[in-house]
Amino acid sequence: MNAAPPVSSLLGTRAAALREAAGYAVGRSSEANVAQALRVTRQVNRRLAFSGEHTVIALAGATGSGKSSLFNALCGTQLAISSVKRPTTGRAMAAVWGQTMPGDLLDWMDIPVRHLMETTPAGLDGLVLLDLPDYDSIVTAHRGEVDRLVAQVDGLIWVVDPQKYADNALYEGYLSRFKAYADVMLVVLNQSDRLAPADLSAARDHLRSLLAAAGLGKAKVFTTSALNGAGIDTLRAEVAALVKSKRLAATRLLHDVESAALLLAADLNRERNRRVSDTSAVRLVAALSSAAGVAQVADAVRLATQTRGTTLTGWPLVSWLGRLRPDPLKRLHLEAFAPAKTAAPGEAGVPTTAALAGRSALQVSDIQQAQVSTALRNLCDDVSRGLNPGWAQAVREASLSHEHTLADELDAAVTTTDLGTSTPVGWWRFVRVVQWLLLTVAAIGLAWLGSAPVTKYFGISPLPLYRWHDIPLPTWLCGGALIGGFLLGILVSFGVRASANHRATAATAALQAAIRTVADTAVLTPVNTELERYARFVAALARALP
Amino acid sequence: MAAGLEQALSELRRELMQVSLPLPLPTATEASTTAVQLAAQLGDYVLPRLKNLEAPLLAVVGGSTGAGKSTLVNSLLARVVTRSGVLRPTTKSPVLVYNPADEHWFDDNRILAGLTRTRATSDAPTALQLVPEPSLPVGLALLDAPDIDSVVTANRTIASTLLAAADLWLFVTSAARYSDAIPWDFLTDAAARAVVLAVVLNRVPPEAAEIVPDDLRRLLDERGLAEVPLFVVPETTATAAGLLPDAAVSELRSWLATLAADENERRAVVLQTLDGAITQTIAKTQAVAQAITDQVSAATVLGADATAAYQEAARIVSTQVSDGSLLRGEVLARWHEYIGTSEFTKTLDAKVSWLKERFLGLFRVAPAAGTQVQLAAGSGLEVLLAEAGDAAAERAAQAWDDNPAGRNLLRAHPELARSSASYQAALARTIHEWQADVLNLVAREGKDKRKTARIAAAGVNGLGAALMLFIFANTGGLTGAEVGVAGGTTVVAQKLLESIFGDTAVKTLAQTARDELAARVQGLLASELARFTKVLDELDIDTRQPRRFHKLAAEVDTLRRERELTTAGQRGTVLLPPPELLSLTAPVHSAAESAADFDDIVDAELVEEEPENTPPDVTETTAAGTTPDTTPDATQYPTPDSLDAATEDGVSL
């Protein structure tokens, strides 16, 4: 009794793991394998729900092998009908040893014919022995019953006879499926009375070699004769040993769980990342950025900044012409972030209604949609390398879950990101002030120079013209200021270009961050969820297998 | 006549050997096996038999493992010619027993050419052991075949082949096996093919002697084998030599002797089985032809799916090209750069930028604005075509994956789900070539001297760009609101072009350029589609084969019917139990006919010819079987008493 708990608790954990794995694999791994796994877990639950008192062992074999005779011999009574007419047994029959009749267990197995034995020999307490129909006669209904019960019972005794022990129906139809089940099956060579002793041992050895070839070399082989009783006691003792351990049901179910898990684990790629790799994510964001036209916006920002800067800090006499050039940002309907006088610093990130309603001129086009689709496809190819087709398809569908809204979301990201263009660069104002100052000085100088006719008109003495190096001071002032302003404008233009580039880079970064957020919600998160699911599936399967 | 039938069957055999069913359709595996089996039967049996109707009658002793075939053969001949034993399966290689006078018929590869002849005992399933035996009557050969249902696959295959090549089946079953499914599959097939056969119920223990033969007789009647003779051999202890006692096998032996002695009887058996085989070949050929037709249809469906996917892609691209989609984004920006600035600043900009260009041009080459538009348009087209190609490949691959026939093909060629590796380069080249075409068109239009000057001002690149933009927005399809954006662009382009080339010339130019683009796109997508069709072509399904099969089958059928007219006049086409027993059996077809008259017997036989052409009607024979005259027991098969009477006629081994 001490050995019992480990097996059933092992069964419990493995069956739970298999159920979990099957749950993850629904819609992804092959339908048949998932259905089999679910069937096995259901069966484990049902069988374990019945009391562990009873062990169900079935006698299975071809028509004429003597199952019913053997059944009678083991029971010690003539319960089952055996006759020369074939096939004989039409429906399964149960003989129960013990105190109680496990009605619910037998109902679950759909065995209406049942007998509770009066006396229970030592060791057989709790045994439910079944006499099954055949699996190879012309009555095909028998085969269906055998298939059903062979899947449900705890232990199997395969009954063969000297004529039929090498029939293909046994090996191809059944034994090949039960390679790992050698510890819950017995093979009995019945009708041993038909052979001379030497022939019998030759036949038994040959049977052993056939079983070994089928992968069941470890299965125990017995020879019996239901007619004269040879070998019956040995067989009964072996059955009693199986029943006494009370582990047969759990052992058989453990094998079932393992087989089902192996089916699901066929060509699995165990080395999987749980998330999309950083390189793939970066590639996706780059592709989505180009689809959303980030480069163009950055370009526009650069040009706009440059123009504004030149207008502000250039030589005032000429720079006003820059206002005539159309603002690139305005053309893209991103003028919400142009230097609007009404925009308060705190509201820098809020777009105007015009931008939202009218959408940017970079609005969703088929080209963008095409670029987005290509980017998604490349991501999927990267990520699902090595996955089974069903899972790869699931990853693809996950990446397409936001397909219809992705382009719109990208566009919204572009329009609502603060491009940092509303605030002019600090030192421009300073330079502007200097430029105006110089202009004022030039104007003063000019006024000074041109003051002579005015003073003459008003009769005031002319203003003194100081000379320095033979050139009057006002001329110095005028010329110097003008030239100074001009030179300052040119000098500053380099600075303006630098600022423009800086602004463009900053805008690109801001846009890409916004796109990254969109990509995360719309694409990366669903794909990561799917990959996580796959990783969990693999982990659960590993727990379900020894 | 005979030569015509032989020739037709040879050709049919050749055709059957070239059947290829590569797609995993439900009918494929069965049809492949059928084709192989039919070809084998034609070569092993039908053709040699047609050529030599007078060759000895080949009786194949077949059945399950452990039924006692070898012991039976040994006992019939009263000498051990084939090994029997306890370990199963016993017989591994077939044993052919014949009278030495018939040696010349069997020592070459006339029949069963796939088996190597040998005189020594052998275990190899592909060897045929030859055993000359004087006690066997001339004109009859016995072949002890391996089993039909053991673990050894080679046995099952060879047994099938041998039974297909037999003139007469001696089908052996045992009291333990008489309701096994696999032997009944063979017997049902024999009934369908009207093979002449006899069933031997072997190893019947005393306790089963009352019940089992009747039960077996019932099963035979149910399956249209009511006329088949049933021999019961009891399970007795073997003699010292491992043979059954004479009494057990005497009835079977004398029956065979009777059969062997009567030449007409032998010929009748041979002809019936042969005719049945040919008829079934015709029917099964039709099934094979149908399977091939299924393959052709499946391949056609797959091809159509792939083509549809790419046609859809072409349609999408052509819509996108002409509805203004390409006028967004980059293209728009560059175009606006080209023409959007105001006149004043343009001139000023031009001069200033000229200076800048000259200065900076020393360091880098910036393409002119007109070329920029082309580049932008080209890259837009590239994106569209790349996506269209990938999407089409994905759609086609999805269609193939949904189709069970196409799934395997797709697994074998996973690269089909995406565009080919060279697609990107090919499409870049295509677009580049098309744009060059457009520029050539523009340049050619301007050969006229008056236009050359104006072209020089705007630049060929700029005009080419304008033409492309004009094509990209077929304003005929745009609604009023959209005209504002796309239309605005194209109106400018259109005005520019019209001012240089004139109204009609612009329309012609646009149409030519549009057609060029469509043709190039079509070619590009066609080469992608070719990958799919290539995979289908590699399957190498012969689409004309079904028709050839139907023609050959019809030909064989006609020739067979013609031959039948010459053979029907001969006596006894169905093997009934020996004539002495006829009075004990009820007439099979009609209670009205009495069995006493010789003429009536002939009538009954003629009526019985029909089952050769049509599948036997089970209800008919069972109805006959329940007429009051017939009791379903000992009278249905030769009893020891009646056959002793037969042997008294002087016919014996």
Side-chain angles (χ1 to χ4, degrees):
Chain A
M1 216 38 209
N2 286 335
V7 174
S8 40
S9 65
L10 189 61
L11 174 64
T13 31
R14 294 236 184 110
L18 180 66
R19 176 75 186 79
E20 197 189 321
Y24 290 136
V26 169
R28 288 148 176 83
S29 291
S30 125
E31 257 181 69
N33 293 346
V34 172
Q36 174 67 6
L38 290 173
R39 198 193 67 73
V40 165
T41 45
R42 262 199 305 275
Q43 174 146 322
V44 168
N45 292 338
R46 295 295 305 278
R47 180 69 184 88
L48 290 182
F50 299 117
S51 75
E53 249 186 79
H54 291 98
T55 307
V56 185
I57 299 183
L59 290 164
T63 173
S65 55
K67 296 181 292 304
S68 301
S69 313
L70 195 59
F71 181 76
N72 289 341
L74 283 172
C75 293
T77 56
Q78 294 291 319
L79 276 173
I81 306 167
S82 70
S83 92
V84 289
K85 205 163 165 208
R86 312 230 151 277
T88 315
T89 313
R91 286 223 63 185
M93 172 190 295
V96 182
W97 283 265
Q99 313 298 356
T100 53
M101 168 70 76
D104 47 356
L105 177 59
L106 289 174
D107 284 341
W108 173 57
M109 292 188 176
D110 196 18
I111 300 171
V113 184
R114 25 184 114 154
H115 298 276
L116 184 59
M117 308 299 288
E118 291 107 33
T119 50
T120 303
L124 291 185
D125 191 4
L127 170 64
V128 178
L129 189 65
L130 299 185
D131 180 25
L132 297 187
D134 61 86
Y135 53 72
D136 67 345
S137 78
I138 42 178
V139 184
T140 41
H142 293 182
R143 203 165 311 161
E145 171 108 336
V146 170
D147 286 346
R148 184 176 63 78
L149 285 168
V150 156
Q152 281 182 307
V153 299
D154 305 330
L156 285 164
I157 301 178
W158 296 99
V159 184
V160 298
D161 67 280
Q163 227 188 91
K164 287 185 152 191
Y165 74 84
D167 272 16
N168 195 34
L170 173 64
Y171 297 90
E172 200 179 299
Y174 294 93
L175 294 185
S176 60
R177 279 191 278 141
F178 291 116
K179 284 202 178 82
Y181 292 60
D183 52 353
V184 299
M185 301 197 308
L186 304 174
V187 180
V188 173
L189 178 59
N190 198 19
Q191 299 178 17
S192 57
D193 51 294
R194 289 184 193 258
L195 292 176
D199 289 340
L200 179 63
S201 55
R204 190 184 53 225
D205 292 339
H206 189 215
L207 172 61
R208 282 220 179 90
S209 69
L210 287 176
L211 288 171
L216 283 165
K218 293 214 183 80
K220 291 190 181 150
V221 178
F222 298 87
T223 51
T224 60
S225 166
L227 266 179
N228 61 27
I232 296 290
D233 292 329
T234 330
L235 181 61
R236 202 184 280 124
E238 180 66 31
V239 170
L242 285 176
V243 170
K244 194 155 149 217
S245 72
K246 299 226 183 271
R247 275 188 300 161
L248 201 61
T251 316
R252 193 259 153 89
L253 289 169
L254 211 55
H255 287 314
D256 282 344
V257 166
E258 196 178 314
S259 312
L262 282 173
L263 276 180
L264 278 176
D267 48 73
L268 256 195
N269 187 337
R270 289 172 200 272
E271 297 303 318
R272 292 303 315 168
N273 299 326
R274 286 170 173 265
R275 345 205 69 234
V276 176
S277 69
D278 280 335
T279 29
S280 301
V282 163
R283 250 203 299 271
L284 176 69
V285 169
L288 290 179
S289 304
S290 96
V294 162
Q296 281 162 269
V297 173
D299 230 21
V301 164
R302 189 175 56 76
L303 268 176
T305 318
Q306 185 135 347
T307 332
R308 286 174 214 160
T310 331
T311 318
L312 274 179
T313 62
W315 204 36
L317 292 177
V318 181
S319 66
W320 62 270
L321 288 173
R323 289 182 204 277
L324 291 177
R325 199 197 291 241
D327 186 350
L329 284 178
K330 199 177 290 187
R331 194 188 307 143
L332 297 178
H333 296 286
L334 292 170
E335 77 275 42
F337 301 101
K341 287 104 189 158
T342 53
E347 292 170 1
V350 176
T352 64
T353 42
L356 275 181
R359 307 279 296 280
S360 72
L362 289 171
Q363 69 182 347
V364 180
S365 74
D366 289 330
I367 299 185
Q368 277 174 290
Q369 191 66 49
Q371 277 175 312
V372 166
S373 302
T374 310
L376 290 178
R377 193 172 290 122
N378 289 341
L379 176 73
C380 280
D381 285 349
D382 270 342
V383 159
S384 57
R385 202 161 288 144
L387 282 179
N388 301 24
W391 287 90
Q393 184 61 28
V395 166
R396 179 99 180 99
E397 275 163 27
S399 74
L400 294 174
S401 54
H402 289 251
E403 187 187 14
H404 299 293
T405 52
L406 184 56
D408 290 355
E409 284 172 27
L410 285 175
D411 196 55
V414 166
T415 45
T416 57
T417 310
D418 173 15
L419 297 172
T421 53
S422 47
T423 49
V425 181
W427 56 269
W428 289 354
R429 294 204 182 278
F430 174 69
V431 171
R432 188 185 171 86
V433 164
V434 170
Q435 286 278 23
W436 278 101
L437 206 65
L438 286 174
L439 204 62
T440 319
V441 167
I444 290 172
L446 207 64
W448 191 339
L449 277 178
S451 67
V454 174
T455 48
K456 199 166 178 194
Y457 184 77
F458 282 110
I460 311 168
S461 61
L463 293 169
L465 277 176
Y466 302 104
R467 281 175 190 271
W468 188 50
H469 292 289
D470 268 344
I471 299 175
L473 191 59
T475 321
W476 275 112
L477 284 177
C478 188
L482 286 176
I483 292 170
F486 184 71
L487 284 176
L488 184 64
I490 291 179
L491 265 176
V492 163
S493 75
F494 290 109
V496 165
R497 187 171 307 143
S499 309
N501 288 340
H502 176 75
R503 282 262 166 114
T505 322
T508 312
L511 285 169
Q512 282 196 332
I515 287 178
R516 174 75 196 229
T517 320
V518 171
D520 271 338
T521 20
V523 179
L524 292 177
T525 312
V527 169
N528 280 335
T529 315
E530 196 61 40
L531 289 179
E532 180 75 31
R533 179 174 177 144
Y534 185 79
R536 291 221 182 108
F537 168 64
V538 171
L541 263 189
R543 284 203 309 279
L545 286 168
Chain B
M1 231 5 106
L5 182 58
E6 224 179 287
Q7 220 166 346
L9 285 170
S10 295
E11 208 180 311
L12 184 61
R13 175 161 179 265
R14 252 195 314 274
E15 204 60 62
L16 281 167
M17 297 204 301
Q18 285 164 357
V19 162
S20 140
L21 300 165
L23 291 173
L25 297 174
T27 48
T29 21
E30 201 185 318
S32 291
T33 325
T34 309
V36 165
Q37 283 172 346
L38 283 180
Q41 190 183 36
L42 284 173
D44 284 339
Y45 162 65
V46 176
L47 289 169
R49 184 43 91 184
L50 269 179
K51 217 192 302 206
N52 300 102
L53 280 175
E54 65 280 10
L57 191 144
L58 183 63
V60 171
V61 182
S64 306
T65 172
K69 298 182 293 305
S70 305
T71 313
L72 191 68
V73 169
N74 291 339
S75 308
L76 280 174
L77 301 172
R79 137 167 127 83
V80 176
V81 295
T82 161
R83 194 168 53 90
S84 64
V86 160
L87 300 185
R88 312 227 156 277
T90 317
T91 308
K92 299 253 179 39
S93 76
V95 175
L96 178 62
V97 186
Y98 54 90
N99 188 296
D102 290 328
E103 181 129 6
H104 60 283
W105 290 112
F106 294 115
D107 59 4
D108 60 358
N109 283 3
R110 185 181 58 92
I111 54 163
L112 296 168
L115 303 174
T116 36
R117 271 73 172 149
T118 167
R119 303 269 166 172
T121 29
S122 153
D123 260 354
T126 49
L128 181 65
Q129 295 177 59
L130 299 176
V131 176
E133 172 61 31
S135 61
L136 201 59
V138 179
L140 176 69
L142 278 180
L143 202 153
D144 181 19
D147 62 84
I148 52 174
D149 56 6
S150 80
V151 154
V152 181
T153 318
N155 279 13
R156 302 199 305 269
T157 327
I158 295 287
S160 279
T161 314
L162 293 175
L163 284 169
D167 293 309
L168 168 70
W169 285 18
L170 280 178
F171 202 81
V172 184
T173 182
S174 68
R177 284 185 172 283
Y178 76 93
S179 70
D180 281 5
I182 295 180
W184 280 102
D185 289 341
F186 278 85
L187 287 173
T188 319
D189 186 49
R193 193 151 51 94
V195 170
V196 178
L197 83 120
V199 174
V200 179
L201 181 62
N202 202 5
R203 302 187 66 172
V204 182
E207 61 268 23
E210 299 294 312
I211 302 169
V212 173
D214 297 342
D215 206 30
L216 176 54
R217 186 80 251 173
R218 175 185 64 82
L219 290 173
L220 284 168
D221 292 349
E222 276 170 10
R223 281 159 180 73
L225 294 165
E227 314 91 58
V228 166
L230 174 59
F231 299 93
V232 180
V233 177
E235 178 139 45
T236 52
T237 45
T239 64
L243 305 176
L244 296 171
D246 256 3
V249 295
S250 55
E251 48 196 273
L252 180 59
R253 188 188 283 142
S254 53
W255 182 80
L256 282 171
T258 320
L259 174 60
D262 188 347
E263 202 182 306
N264 289 336
E265 196 79 32
R266 280 208 319 265
R267 201 175 165 79
V269 167
V270 162
L271 286 173
Q272 176 179 331
T273 309
L274 182 62
D275 199 50
I278 296 178
T279 314
Q280 201 191 45
T281 303
I282 296 171
K284 287 195 174 168
T285 307
Q286 313 278 29
V288 170
Q290 183 55 44
I292 300 176
T293 314
D294 290 344
Q295 298 269 319
V296 171
S297 322
T300 314
V301 163
L302 290 175
D305 284 341
T307 314
Y310 277 94
Q311 275 174 349
E312 176 71 12
R315 193 193 59 77
I316 291 175
V317 168
S318 76
T319 318
Q320 286 169 335
V321 162
S322 55
D323 73 352
S325 335
L326 282 167
L327 292 182
R328 312 262 196 234
E330 178 102 2
V331 178
L332 207 69
R334 297 279 169 255
W335 178 249
H336 281 176
E337 266 180 29
Y338 178 62
I339 56 146
T341 53
S342 69
E343 273 300 313
F344 184 92
T345 50
K346 187 180 170 188
T347 334
L348 194 68
D349 270 347
K351 290 204 163 57
V352 171
S353 59
W354 180 83
L355 266 172
K356 197 174 69 176
E357 293 301 322
R358 295 293 298 174
F359 180 68
L360 293 171
L362 297 173
F363 302 106
R364 63 172 167 86
V365 178
T371 329
Q372 291 259 5
V373 181
Q374 285 175 45
L375 278 178
S379 78
L381 256 182
E382 219 173 289
V383 165
L384 286 182
L385 280 173
E387 170 58 19
D390 268 334
E394 195 175 2
R395 250 196 318 271
Q398 190 62 42
W400 278 28
D401 199 47
D402 290 339
N403 189 333
R407 201 168 295 145
N408 281 17
L409 283 178
L410 195 60
R411 297 283 152 86
H413 297 269
E415 73 278 3
L416 287 177
R418 295 277 178 268
S419 332
S420 66
S422 58
Y423 181 60
Q424 202 62 34
L427 81 87
R429 207 176 37 243
T430 307
I431 293 168
H432 189 72
E433 282 169 9
W434 177 70
Q435 287 184 323
D437 279 349
V438 167
L439 291 181
N440 283 343
L441 269 178
V442 166
R444 253 205 320 272
E445 257 320 290
K447 282 293 181 230
D448 183 357
K449 282 203 188 89
R450 269 188 312 158
K451 296 180 189 166
T452 335
R454 285 183 246 169
I455 290 174
V460 175
N461 282 321
L463 287 176
L467 185 58
M468 281 179 220
L469 289 187
F470 181 60
I471 293 167
F472 289 163
N474 194 1
T475 48
L478 291 173
T479 59
E482 289 175 300
V483 167
V485 178
T489 315
T490 53
V491 161
V492 173
Q494 192 175 357
K495 291 282 174 264
L496 179 61
L497 289 168
E498 279 170 5
S499 69
I500 294 179
F501 296 116
D503 212 351
T504 43
V506 171
K507 286 197 173 47
T508 332
L509 271 178
Q511 195 55 41
T512 319
R514 205 175 275 135
D515 292 341
E516 262 290 312
L517 181 60
R520 282 187 190 276
V521 166
Q522 201 70 16
L524 191 65
L525 291 174
S527 61
E528 283 294 296
L529 176 60
R531 295 179 303 145
F532 285 85
T533 40
K534 182 158 151 290
V535 167
L536 287 176
D537 288 339
E538 277 167 8
L539 289 178
D540 207 15
I541 303 171
D542 192 340
T543 49
R544 281 197 281 275
Q545 204 169 36
R547 207 173 320 142
R548 288 205 294 276
F549 270 126
H550 287 304
K551 192 164 86 64
L552 278 170
E555 205 180 308
V556 167
D557 202 25
T558 326
L559 288 165
R560 183 191 69 84
R561 284 178 201 279
E562 284 171 9
R563 265 185 70 85
E564 204 165 27
L565 296 172
T566 59
T567 59
Q570 303 191 8
R571 190 194 177 291
T573 48
V574 171
L575 193 64
L576 295 171
E580 295 78 44
L581 291 178
L582 267 179
S583 55
L584 295 172
T585 56
V588 181
H589 281 275
S590 160
E593 299 197 64
S594 62
D597 223 22
F598 186 78
D599 293 323
D600 285 355
I601 292 167
V602 173
D603 283 345
E605 283 164 0
L606 282 173
V607 168
E608 297 229 327
E609 269 179 49
E610 280 166 23
E612 295 165 27
N613 305 339
T614 59
D617 189 346
V618 176
T619 52
E620 215 177 285
T621 49
T622 46
T626 55
T627 51
D629 288 341
T630 320
T631 44
D633 59 7
T635 53
Q636 292 267 3
Y637 56 91
T639 60
D641 302 329
S642 53
L643 278 178
D644 277 346
T647 50
E648 277 167 11
D649 285 347
V651 184
S652 62
L653 286 168

